[in-house]
Amino acid sequence: MTTVALNNLWTYLQGLSLSQKDRNWLAGKLIDSTADDAKTAEQKAYVKDSLHRALNEVKQAKREGRKLQTLDDFIQELRAEEAQ
């Protein structure tokens, strides 16, 4: 949002007759949103790092002439671990 839009929003909020409970609820929503943004950034960084490591492993396996595990084998391995 632009500064003008934020100022207009703030003016609008100040014009509302909010109870203390309503103000606390609004503040909580604004804080939760910030926490969600940080969590999303962490998740994106984790996924990016995981994909980067996987790609490097594939490249290294190709250079070394190694065969990689197939998706079917991977799923079977997961099911076997789950059954234990």
Side-chain angles (χ1 to χ4, degrees):
M1 290 182 101
T2 65
T3 303
V4 173
L6 288 172
N7 284 334
N8 288 337
L9 176 60
W10 180 243
T11 302
Y12 171 75
L13 290 173
Q14 286 178 317
L16 298 174
S17 61
L18 299 174
S19 67
Q20 188 60 40
K21 182 180 175 184
D22 293 337
R23 289 174 188 258
N24 289 339
W25 176 87
L26 180 58
K29 289 296 183 183
L30 292 171
I31 291 169
D32 286 346
S33 176
T34 303
D36 288 345
D37 291 346
K39 185 177 179 181
T40 300
E42 287 176 18
Q43 290 171 337
K44 284 181 180 180
Y46 173 78
V47 169
K48 182 179 178 180
D49 183 53
S50 297
L51 290 173
H52 184 70
R53 282 183 284 138
L55 181 59
N56 285 339
E57 185 177 331
V58 168
K59 288 178 181 178
Q60 184 176 356
K62 282 186 177 182
R63 282 192 300 266
E64 295 172 359
R66 285 187 291 128
K67 279 193 161 188
L68 293 173
Q69 185 179 33
T70 67
L71 182 58
D72 290 332
D73 291 341
F74 177 71
I75 291 170
Q76 287 177 358
E77 184 179 312
L78 287 177
R79 287 184 178 150
E81 288 178 11
E82 205 173 73
Q84 292 177 354

